[in-house]
Amino acid sequence: MFEVFLERANHLSAARKLVADDADYTSALALLAVHSAISWNDAVSMRLVGNVVKGEDHMRAVVLLEKQCASRKMNRDGFKHLRN
C-alpha cells in the first residue's frame, strides 16, 4: 500500500510542476500541492506504522508523523530518497 500512496504523491507532484508557471492554473496548483503533501504523508505513515490517519484534520496527521519520526530518531531529511 505504501507504493500506491508514493506513486500518487509523485504523480500529483509532477502535475503540480507542469502547471506551476501558468497563471491560469493557480487554483489547480494549490489543490495539487495540498493533495501531493497529503499523499506523501500517507506514504510515510504507511511505511512507518502500516496505516494512515483518516479524517479531515490534516494538522493531526502532520503532528502524528512528526511523533513517528521523532520516536525513530529521524529528522525531516530522512525521506529525500523517496522523491523522484
Side-chain angles (χ1 to χ4, degrees):
M1 196 65 181
F2 159 78
E3 291 84 6
V4 171
F5 290 113
L6 182 60
E7 181 178 39
R8 183 179 302 152
N10 285 330
H11 287 171
L12 290 165
S13 184
R16 178 188 53 81
K17 290 174 186 174
L18 290 174
V19 300
D21 295 326
D22 193 330
D24 291 336
Y25 293 98
T26 55
S27 294
L29 177 63
L31 288 170
L32 289 165
V34 168
H35 285 277
S36 177
I38 291 168
S39 292
W40 272 102
N41 189 72
D42 289 346
V44 173
S45 290
M46 183 60 70
R47 177 57 60 97
L48 293 178
V49 296
N51 61 32
V52 297
V53 175
K54 300 289 183 189
E56 296 297 318
D57 185 356
H58 300 305
M59 281 311 299
R60 181 173 171 258
V62 171
V63 169
L64 289 174
L65 181 61
E66 286 177 343
K67 288 180 181 178
Q68 292 167 4
C69 291
S71 72
R72 290 166 176 79
K73 298 186 180 359
M74 299 170 74
N75 63 27
R76 294 176 185 214
D77 294 334
F79 301 103
K80 287 183 178 179
H81 67 282
L82 298 177
R83 296 181 189 157
N84 284 345

